[in-house]
Amino acid sequence: MAHLKRKADMFLETWKADKDRKPLIIKGARQVGKTETVREFAKKHYQSMIEINFALQKQYKDIFNDGFEVDTIIKNITLHDPSLSVIPNKTLIFFDEMQDCVNCATSLKSFNQDRRYDVICSGSLMGINYGEIESNSVGNKEDYEMYSMDFEEFLWAKGYSPEQIEEYYKHLLEVKPLSDTEYNVMLANFREYIVIGGMPAIVDKFVTNNNYSGTLKMQRQILLDYEEDITKYAHGLDKGKILNIYRKIPVFLGKENKKFQISKISKNARNRDYIGTVEWLDNAGIINICYCMDVPELPLKGNYNPNYYKLYFRDTGLLVGSLEDEVQKDLRDNKNFNTYKGALYESIIADMLVKQGYQLYFYKNESGTVEMDFFVRNSNSLIPVEVKANDSATASLNKLITSDKFADIKYGIKLANKNIGWNGKFLTMPYFLTFLLKRFLSEADMGSFSE
């Protein structure tokens, strides 16, 4: 598989340039591209790399048995493989699948103090007992979470240059509509991305073959791999209950309100019996949780109901893979979706927001007269974000912006199959530009729009 350009590449360049860099732990769900990214980085920057995969090379788990001195660890590694080249200041040590050898985390303090070797650890979030790793390496590591490819990375894989993407951003910044060609080409790319998702191996197959052949099978395999990992790694929790939730996500997304209800998972299911299960799936990097706000006001984090939430897959390709065989073709032809069309667009927007660093919140008042899909914020405003699968009315968005009750809300954003525009109350954006939202909100002078 060819190396696909990733945002993690840029992060690693910055990490390497920092003379005070600490050992790095790259966390992420299975198959989001962690190992490939580290290997590519090592090729460019180091004379040699020692790569140990604790899941596949179980014999290396004993390298820490004689203590955590760096020279002792290196000696034990080279006892297993005398051909390895270990050059101080020119070697990267890469501990992969660290969740299968927690002692590896304890060693990071020694490597951090020694400073002769750069160390990167990687692991599936599903298997990492992060509390244990944190206590073993506190103050001696840096963390980076990697996701499946975002839409911008997908565009890079298809051959688009940063300059071409920057042109779209300029349109957004100037609130200037795109030309028909710009709009239609990018919408077609976006529809491909919804179907394919961002798993690098699937994106690579799609881009190389220029068709969808074999991609559904790959999506289904990842879903099965996740089930296997749940069974393997869900220590101390009821694996059956976690699998129950995981398998029911598409069902709840198909309902009108998309609310996830434990009581509807199985007969006699109760919230108290499922404590920790949803959080486990979130921590494992498989799902995004979107919590209902008590009131639409700042701060977001101190103002939500932990028992009222929606769940989305972190990758829409996996959502598509979880549905019936015909869905991929229906999506490509943009037909047969009804309620589920809204679920797909909400899922993809949720994922695009998370990949920009946002946490997810929605709102629905008790009478159901006001509801909003997502909220984001900038330095001084709470910003409602409405996702419209069809170009229907925006009554809730208008109420939130114009009502005196919501002082933190000054304007809103409507994401739809519509060109860029501003109507004095909210900014309309095509779905496919959502990946630029955080940058736009930090750089645009929204005050001048809302006056």
Side-chain angles (χ1 to χ4, degrees):
M1 176 174 135
H3 177 66
L4 299 171
K5 181 182 169 188
R6 302 297 302 275
K7 291 180 179 175
D9 300 340
M10 295 170 243
F11 173 82
L12 287 170
E13 294 290 335
T14 307
W15 174 77
K16 178 80 171 113
D18 180 359
K19 62 179 175 41
D20 296 320
R21 63 188 170 276
K22 295 178 177 180
L24 179 66
I25 296 180
I26 300 180
K27 304 180 288 180
R30 181 199 264 269
Q31 298 189 40
V32 296
K34 302 182 296 292
T35 303
E36 175 58 34
T37 298
V38 174
R39 285 176 182 160
E40 195 65 23
F41 168 70
K43 267 188 227 169
K44 281 186 191 170
H45 291 285
Y46 298 89
Q47 211 168 310
S48 73
M49 174 173 82
I50 294 172
E51 179 180 342
I52 295 171
N53 181 314
F54 288 115
L56 299 177
Q57 299 167 291
K58 296 188 189 303
Q59 69 273 24
Y60 280 91
K61 287 187 186 181
D62 68 5
I63 61 175
F64 308 109
N65 284 2
D66 301 317
F68 295 98
E69 289 300 314
V70 170
D71 286 334
T72 306
I73 295 167
I74 298 292
K75 185 181 92 173
N76 285 343
I77 289 171
T78 54
L79 279 172
H80 280 290
D81 185 352
S83 70
L84 289 171
S85 170
V86 189
I87 309 155
N89 305 307
K90 293 180 180 176
T91 298
L92 174 70
I93 298 172
F94 177 31
F95 293 130
D96 202 359
E97 303 293 0
M98 72 179 295
Q99 73 275 3
D100 282 40
C101 183
V102 174
N103 272 342
C104 146
T106 310
S107 74
L108 299 185
K109 182 175 182 180
S110 301
F111 280 110
N112 188 36
Q113 290 170 343
D114 183 273
R115 308 200 74 76
R116 284 176 294 159
Y117 306 99
D118 284 350
V119 178
I120 297 179
C121 303
S122 169
S124 157
L125 279 170
M126 202 177 280
I128 287 180
N129 177 342
Y130 213 69
E132 195 173 349
I133 283 174
E134 185 62 50
S135 64
N136 289 2
S137 56
V138 65
N140 291 289
K141 61 162 177 61
E142 184 174 354
D143 291 309
Y144 179 77
E145 185 167 353
M146 204 168 161
Y147 300 96
S148 66
M149 296 170 76
D150 69 14
F151 184 49
E152 187 170 15
E153 291 170 317
F154 179 79
L155 293 174
W156 293 342
K158 289 201 73 183
Y160 287 90
S161 68
E163 291 74 25
Q164 286 173 298
I165 294 168
E166 195 63 20
E167 278 300 309
Y168 280 87
Y169 181 65
K170 275 187 197 162
H171 274 271
L172 196 54
L173 207 51
E174 294 164 14
V175 194
K176 180 176 141 196
L178 302 165
S179 72
D180 287 350
T181 304
E182 287 170 321
Y183 191 99
N184 293 331
V185 166
M186 205 47 69
L187 182 61
N189 283 318
F190 187 61
R191 285 195 172 133
E192 290 172 355
Y193 178 65
I194 292 178
V195 174
I196 290 296
M199 292 298 187
I202 301 175
V203 172
D204 184 60
K205 186 177 183 71
F206 173 73
V207 170
T208 304
N209 297 341
N210 202 23
N211 63 47
Y212 292 90
S213 174
T215 55
L216 185 59
K217 185 179 177 188
M218 292 172 81
Q219 288 164 341
R220 297 242 165 104
Q221 187 56 52
I222 292 174
L223 287 164
L224 288 172
D225 290 344
Y226 280 174
E227 292 212 2
E228 192 180 304
D229 279 353
I230 290 168
T231 308
K232 181 178 176 184
Y233 289 119
H235 305 301
L237 283 169
D238 189 321
K239 296 167 187 185
K241 286 175 180 164
I242 294 175
L243 284 170
N244 239 348
I245 291 171
Y246 173 66
R247 290 170 180 157
K248 292 277 175 28
I249 291 169
V251 178
F252 284 96
L253 285 176
K255 298 187 184 308
E256 193 64 53
N257 70 0
K258 303 177 187 64
K259 179 185 177 184
F260 198 92
Q261 292 172 281
I262 295 289
S263 58
K264 302 277 176 69
I265 285 181
S266 61
K267 199 176 175 187
N268 300 325
R270 290 168 302 189
N271 270 317
R272 68 168 182 265
D273 299 327
Y274 278 77
I275 288 168
T277 50
V278 171
E279 290 79 3
W280 191 92
L281 284 166
D282 182 35
N283 292 336
I286 297 174
I287 62 168
N288 291 318
I289 307 178
C290 185
Y291 288 105
C292 186
M293 297 177 70
D294 292 321
V295 205
E297 63 185 31
L298 297 171
L300 287 162
K301 278 190 180 173
N303 177 27
Y304 67 90
N305 181 346
N307 296 316
Y308 187 178
Y309 49 82
K310 300 177 188 179
L311 302 183
Y312 302 101
F313 276 125
R314 278 210 187 172
D315 189 278
T316 50
L318 299 187
L319 175 57
V320 171
S322 73
L323 302 171
E324 61 271 21
D325 288 5
E326 295 76 18
V327 164
Q328 210 191 64
K329 184 169 189 321
D330 284 346
L331 240 187
R332 301 199 306 255
D333 298 341
N334 200 29
K335 67 176 191 185
N336 292 347
F337 274 92
N338 306 321
T339 312
Y340 224 90
K341 191 172 182 184
L344 278 160
Y345 281 104
E346 265 188 50
S347 294
I348 192 93
I349 299 304
D351 197 47
M352 291 170 99
L353 293 175
V354 166
K355 283 171 177 168
Q356 291 171 79
Y358 286 116
Q359 291 181 307
L360 301 178
Y361 300 95
F362 73 102
Y363 177 68
K364 185 173 187 176
N365 66 1
E366 284 183 20
S367 59
T369 53
V370 179
E371 53 185 301
M372 188 48 51
D373 300 311
F374 301 107
F375 286 88
V376 295
R377 65 166 300 172
N378 59 13
S379 55
N380 58 5
S381 301
L382 180 66
I383 304 160
V385 178
E386 186 155 34
V387 182
K388 301 303 275 187
N390 309 300
D391 187 27
S392 50
T394 51
S396 288
L397 192 56
N398 282 316
K399 274 183 195 170
L400 287 166
I401 296 163
T402 55
S403 169
D404 295 336
K405 284 195 286 185
F406 311 118
D408 293 331
I409 299 172
K410 300 173 178 68
Y411 56 88
I413 288 165
K414 175 184 171 184
L415 300 171
N417 187 4
K418 299 275 285 180
N419 217 322
I420 298 167
W422 169 256
N423 68 357
K425 288 191 285 191
F426 56 82
L427 179 75
T428 301
M429 282 170 61
Y431 312 114
F432 54 75
L433 293 186
T434 305
F435 74 97
L436 296 167
L437 184 62
K438 191 160 196 176
R439 182 183 167 197
F440 171 76
L441 290 175
S442 69
E443 294 179 5
D445 180 11
M446 292 305 290
S448 67
F449 292 176
S450 46
E451 280 164 11

